[in-house]
Each structure stands twice: as C-alpha cells, then as structure tokens.
C-alpha cells in the first residue's frame, strides 16, 4: 500500500524537469516516451527473457541504491554510480539469496536454469554481497565533495564519520530484515518504508523549488507528514488501481483452467513490476543527471 503510488508523480516530475531545463516538450511527449519504454520491456521479456531478467536486476540494483544514497555528495560520477550500484547489489542480492529455496522456483519461471545448482550457487552469495558493500562504504570519506553538485535531491550532505556509521548500521539492518523475515516480506518492508516513502519526500521537496500546477507557488518550507498524507490521498486512484489489478490477476490465475501456483504468480509480478520500473527509472535518471534525454525517441518532432 505504501509503495504502490510512489511513481504516481513521474509525469508531473517530467513537467518540472522540462520547465527547469527551459525545454518546450509537452506532457504528451512524456507520456508517449513513457509508454514506449514500457512496451520495450514487454518485448524484451517476450523475445529475450534471460537478457530482460538480468538487465532488470542490474537496473533495479542501481535504482534502489540511488534512491537510498543520493543524499550523499560524491565528487565524481563514477564513484557516485559505484556507491549506488553497490548498495543495490546488497539489496537485490539479499532478496535473491536470503532464502534460495523460495526464490529459485520463481526465477525458474523467468529464465532457463538448473534448479538445484542455481540454489546452491545462491547460498554462497550473501557474504560476497555484504563484503563488497562494506568495502565501498569504508571509502566514503575519500569521495567527499566541497559543494552541492546536483539539484536533486534537495537535501544533501557530505560523507563523514556520522554518515558512514549510519549507512553501516542501515546495511546491517537490511541484512537482519531479510534473513529474519525472508525475501518476500523483507523486500515488501524495504520497498514501502525505505524506498517509497523517502522517494515521495524527495519528490515533494523538489516540487517546491518551482511554481507548478499541482503544489502551487515555490517555497522552501520543510516537508511535513501532512504533505505526505496529502500525496497519498491524491495518489489514491493509482493505489486502488494497482491493488485491484493484483487482486484480479490473482483471481484469474487461480481460477482459470491454467491454474498457476504461487511461484508462477510471483514471476508474473516480477515481469509486471519491470515494465513499470523501466519507465520510472528513466524519469528518476532525468532528475539526477542533466545528460539524460527527456525525449529519447524524439517524439517532440511529431508535434512541430
């Protein structure tokens, strides 16, 4: 419930980014590019599922790390990206490996694999994903920058001992969460509380930097819980639509002549999430990096 609507502001964010770059793209350009990216993910799953799966894992790793650690000011794009990807590898790695006997049957429905050997391989991975992230975090202090280098997120800080200890503690908290509750519950808790809510707060803070039709005049007041609550009320149609879609898919899956087990349903859920995530990650990348094109498929040329 907390996580479903966090991408509801994507096209509104497109409007704000477009305005801040003094471009003349319309919201229609954003919508069309958004749906083209979604369609490309559908085609990838249909024709090259193995490539689609591992690409989705890599994209998701970077996205989760980016949303978790983008408040830390880093000197270079390479080190910034390395930090994001390292945190994401920890999160995706824990999701896949905390209970391999549960996750392998789901993955088997998505890509060809030998179940027993794949399960055994996953069991050896947790120490590796944890160790690589501890190593990257231990070098945070050497990556500090003296000034704010990005307009998003609004609230940032330089890496210091406090930040380092906070992120070490958070990393071990993630490990505890996944190994005590399992990958499905652990990921649901992470996605709702540590991914979606901070993303919503960061988006709302960004909206306040410029006049816009959704949140009114620009101002620098701190984001309150009332603002977050207002967002969830405004995004209620997205939440309801998402919940009804999942309930309908579940009902059809278990009541059709092709009745599916839970691992099939989770596999379909992964595919559905990837289709939505691909377009969402494009918007988030536009927020963080001015080099990312707001009209990758040149749709604006249709309207000129």
């Amino acid at each position: 419930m907390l996580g479903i609507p966090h991408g509801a502001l994507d096209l509104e964010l497109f409007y704000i980014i477009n305005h801040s770059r003094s471009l003349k793209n319309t919201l229609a350009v954003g919508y069309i590019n958004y749906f083209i990216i979604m369609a490309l993910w559908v085609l990838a799953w249909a024709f090259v599922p193995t490539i689609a799966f591992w690409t989705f894992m890599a994209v998701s790793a970077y996205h989760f790390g980016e949303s978790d650690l983008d408040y830390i000011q880093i000197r270079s794009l390479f080190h910034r990206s390395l930090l994001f990807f390292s945190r994401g590898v920890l999160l995706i790695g824990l999701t896949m490996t905390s209970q391999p006997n549960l996750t392998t049957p789901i993955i088997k429905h998505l890509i060809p694999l030998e179940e027993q050997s794949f399960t055994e391989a996953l069991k050896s991975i947790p120490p590796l994903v944890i160790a690589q992230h501890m190593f990257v975090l231990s070098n945070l202090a050497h990556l500090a920058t003296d000034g704010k280098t990005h307009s998003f997120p609004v609230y940032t800080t330089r890496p210091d001992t406090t930040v380092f200890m906070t992120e070490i503690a958070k990393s071990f908290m993630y490990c505890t969460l996944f190994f005590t509750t399992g990958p499905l519950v652990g990921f649901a808790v992470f996605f709702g509380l540590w991914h979606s809510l901070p993303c919503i707060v960061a988006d709302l803070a960004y909206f306040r930097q410029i006049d816009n039709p959704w949140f009114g005049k620009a101002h620098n007041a701190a984001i309150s819980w009332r603002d977050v609550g207002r967002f969830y009320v405004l995004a209620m149609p997205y939440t309801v639509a998402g919940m009804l879609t999942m309930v309908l898919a579940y009902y059809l899956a278990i009541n059709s002549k092709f009745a599916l087990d839970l691992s099939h349903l989770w596999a379909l859920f992964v595919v559905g999430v990837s289709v939505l995530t691909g377009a969402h990650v494009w918007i988030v990348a536009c927020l963080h990096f001015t080099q990312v094109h707001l009209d990758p498929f040149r749709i604006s040329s249709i309207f000129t």
Side-chain angles (χ1 to χ4, degrees):
M1 288 291 289
L2 289 174
I4 288 174
H6 89 281
L9 292 173
D10 281 353
L11 275 304
E12 287 81 355
L13 287 168
F14 176 89
Y15 171 91
I16 300 298
I17 302 165
N18 190 59
H19 188 281
S20 66
R21 296 190 194 177
S22 300
L23 301 176
K24 296 182 180 180
N25 296 324
T26 65
L27 270 180
V29 170
Y31 276 106
I32 296 172
N33 278 283
Y34 205 85
F35 286 117
I36 289 176
I37 295 172
M38 292 173 65
L40 289 175
W41 274 100
V42 173
L43 292 173
W45 281 109
F47 295 104
V48 283
T50 300
I51 294 175
F53 175 78
W54 290 113
T55 301
F56 177 51
M57 293 299 101
V59 168
S60 297
Y62 185 86
H63 175 60
F64 289 137
E66 181 180 51
S67 64
D68 215 27
L69 298 173
D70 61 357
Y71 75 97
I72 301 175
Q73 297 176 35
I74 300 296
R75 178 178 294 118
S76 75
L77 174 61
F78 172 78
H79 291 120
R80 184 175 166 87
S81 300
L82 178 64
L83 176 65
F84 295 163
F85 193 68
S86 174
R87 171 58 62 85
V89 166
L90 174 71
L91 293 166
I92 295 297
L94 291 173
T95 303
M96 292 180 65
T97 65
S98 56
Q99 286 187 13
N101 293 330
L102 179 60
T103 54
T104 299
I106 298 172
I107 299 171
K108 187 179 179 181
H109 294 309
L110 298 169
I111 60 174
L113 56 84
E114 201 288 306
E115 188 167 347
Q116 184 174 355
S117 60
F118 190 82
T119 300
E120 291 303 314
L122 289 183
K123 290 178 180 178
S124 66
I125 290 177
L128 299 177
V129 297
I130 295 170
Q132 63 83 26
H133 192 53
M134 293 303 104
F135 174 77
V136 172
L137 283 179
S138 67
N139 288 280
L140 264 182
H142 303 294
L143 306 178
T145 184
D146 293 328
K148 186 174 174 64
T149 57
H150 303 276
S151 60
F152 184 90
V154 175
Y155 308 120
T156 60
T157 187
R158 296 181 70 239
D160 57 19
T161 303
T162 301
V163 171
F164 169 70
M165 296 304 296
T166 298
E167 293 305 331
I168 289 288
K170 191 192 295 184
S171 298
F172 279 106
M173 181 184 64
Y174 288 150
C175 294
T176 303
L177 172 66
F178 279 91
F179 283 113
T180 56
T181 66
L184 303 182
V185 173
F187 183 79
V189 173
F190 160 75
F191 186 77
L193 295 180
W194 282 288
H195 178 66
S196 299
L197 274 177
C199 283
I200 290 168
V201 171
D203 290 349
L204 292 175
Y206 185 71
F207 268 110
R208 290 193 165 172
Q209 305 304 297
I210 189 170
D211 296 351
N212 65 84
W214 297 278
F215 296 92
K217 294 289 185 181
H219 57 93
N220 294 316
I223 301 298
S224 66
W225 283 109
R226 171 180 283 186
D227 296 317
V228 177
R230 179 168 174 259
F231 163 80
Y232 274 104
V233 171
L234 292 173
M236 188 60 69
Y238 296 90
T239 306
V240 173
M243 294 296 294
L244 289 177
T245 300
M246 287 189 286
V247 170
L248 178 61
Y250 178 75
Y251 175 80
L252 293 175
I254 65 174
N255 288 283
S256 70
K257 62 180 180 179
F258 305 108
L260 304 177
D261 59 25
L262 282 177
S263 61
H264 275 99
L265 288 174
W266 277 111
L268 290 174
F269 179 74
V270 169
V271 172
V273 169
S274 72
V275 172
L276 294 172
T277 298
H280 172 64
V281 168
W282 165 60
I283 294 292
V284 175
C286 291
L287 276 172
H288 286 94
F289 304 107
T290 57
Q291 301 94 326
V292 177
H293 208 290
L294 274 171
D295 187 13
F297 299 102
R298 303 296 190 270
I299 302 301
S300 57
S301 62
I302 300 174
F303 299 96
T304 57

